[in-house]
Amino acid sequence: MISVVVPTLGRPSLTVLLDALAGQLAALPEAELLLVDDRGDDTGELAVPGALTAYTKVLTGRGAGPAAARNLGWSTARGEWVVFLDDDVVPAPDWARRLVDDLAAPARVGGVQGMVEVPLPVDRRPTDWERGTAGLADGRWITADMAYRRAALATVGGFDERFPRAYREDAELAHRVRAAGFVLRRGGRRVVHPVRPEGRWVSLRTQRGNADDALLRRLYGRRWRTDLGLPPGRRPRHVAVTAAGLAACAAAGLRFAARPGPGRRALGAVAAVATGGWLAGTAEFARARIARGPRDAGEVGAMLVTSALIPPLAVGHWVRGWWRARAALPAPSVEAGR
C-alpha cells in the first residue's frame, strides 16, 4: 500500500495538484491520499475532485507548520511507503507509474526522492525570487516530492517540529534517516514546481530561515552544513557587513558627542573606514544579485534596498534562533506510534 500525504494551506495550487493526481491514483496499489488541512481557521472543507473521493481522507492540522502537518499525515497513514508532496507541485502524467518503479527498492532504502523541475522564463533573465525557487531542482531530499518507507519514519520519530517553516526540516529528517542506517536515493518520477507569485520584498521575509539554521548549528555543531549536505551560505559576509555598519554608526555617534581634538578625529577615521567597509560589502552583494537578474528598474531598485537590509536581518534572526535553541538537543530516534 502507498500513502500520499499533502499538507496544505488551501492555496489555489492544490486544485491543480489534485486534478493531476485524479487520473493516476488508480495505478497505485491500495493507494490512499491524506490531505492535512493546516489552515488553522474555519474556512470550510477542502474541495476534493470526485475521482479522488474514494482515496481521500482530510485531516485537520494544528496550524503548526509543515513538519507537524506531515507528522500527522504519516502517523495516520496505513501504507508501507509514505509519499510527501507539496501542495504547489504538478505531477507528470506518468508520475504514479514511475513511483511504483521507484519504490520497488530493497529494505535498506529508506527514501526515494522524485525529480523536481522549475520552469523559468525564456524571454528574460529570472528574478532573484525565481532563481531561489529554481534551486529546488538541485535540492537533496526535499519534500516537494519525497517518499519515505514508513519504517524509516517510525525509527527516527518523523519530522522535528521545532522547525516551523518549510525550510531545513526535510534536510534534517534526511540526516537522521541516514544516520539510522537507511539509504536515500533519487528516483525517476517527476513533478513540476511552478514559481509562486511573490512581491519584490519576499527576500526580507525569507531571512527568518536563519533562525532554523541557528537551531541546526546548535544540534549538529560547526559541520552541520557538510553533515546535512547543504550548500555554503553568505552568513560570514552578512556578519562582517553588519558589524561594519554597527561600527560606523557607533563611531559616528561618539564623534558627534566628543569634544574637538585628536579623539574626535580618530573616531571620524574609524567611522569613515567602517562606512567604506559597509558600502563595499553591500555593493558586492547587490551587484551579485543584480547581474544575474532581468535588470529592469523595479528589480534593480528592490535588489539595492534589500541588499542593504538583508545582512542585519539575517544576523538578527540567527541570534534570535541561537538564543531560543540554547538548550536544544538532537531529536531522539524513537519508535513513533500512531
Side-chain angles (χ1 to χ4, degrees), residues 192-284:
V192 173
H193 191 302
V195 179
R196 184 174 68 249
E198 283 287 357
R200 294 193 183 277
W201 316 109
V202 62
S203 59
L204 301 181
R205 189 174 72 244
T206 59
Q207 299 310 309
R208 292 179 294 182
N210 283 278
D212 301 319
D213 284 350
L215 173 56
L216 286 175
R217 172 64 174 82
R218 286 286 197 188
L219 295 178
Y220 298 113
R222 287 185 295 181
R223 290 178 51 84
W224 66 274
R225 284 188 179 273
T226 300
D227 291 346
L228 272 67
L230 297 171
R234 290 187 63 99
R235 189 169 301 106
R237 297 185 189 185
H238 289 339
V239 170
V241 170
T242 301
L246 291 174
C249 292
L254 291 172
R255 179 181 179 278
F256 179 80
R259 295 179 179 179
R264 188 177 188 186
R265 290 193 294 273
L267 287 170
V270 171
V273 171
T275 299
W278 177 83
L279 285 172
T282 301
E284 181 275 330

Side-chain angles (χ1 to χ4, degrees), residues 62-78:
R62 297 183 284 113
R70 293 191 192 106
N71 279 343
L72 174 60
W74 79 259
S75 62
T76 305
R78 294 174 294 135

Side-chain angles (χ1 to χ4, degrees), residues 92-116:
D94 62 351
W95 179 84
R97 178 177 60 80
R98 290 183 177 271
L99 174 66
V100 173
D101 294 337
D102 287 348
L103 303 189
R108 65 189 183 90
V109 175
V112 185
Q113 179 183 340
M115 290 184 280
V116 179

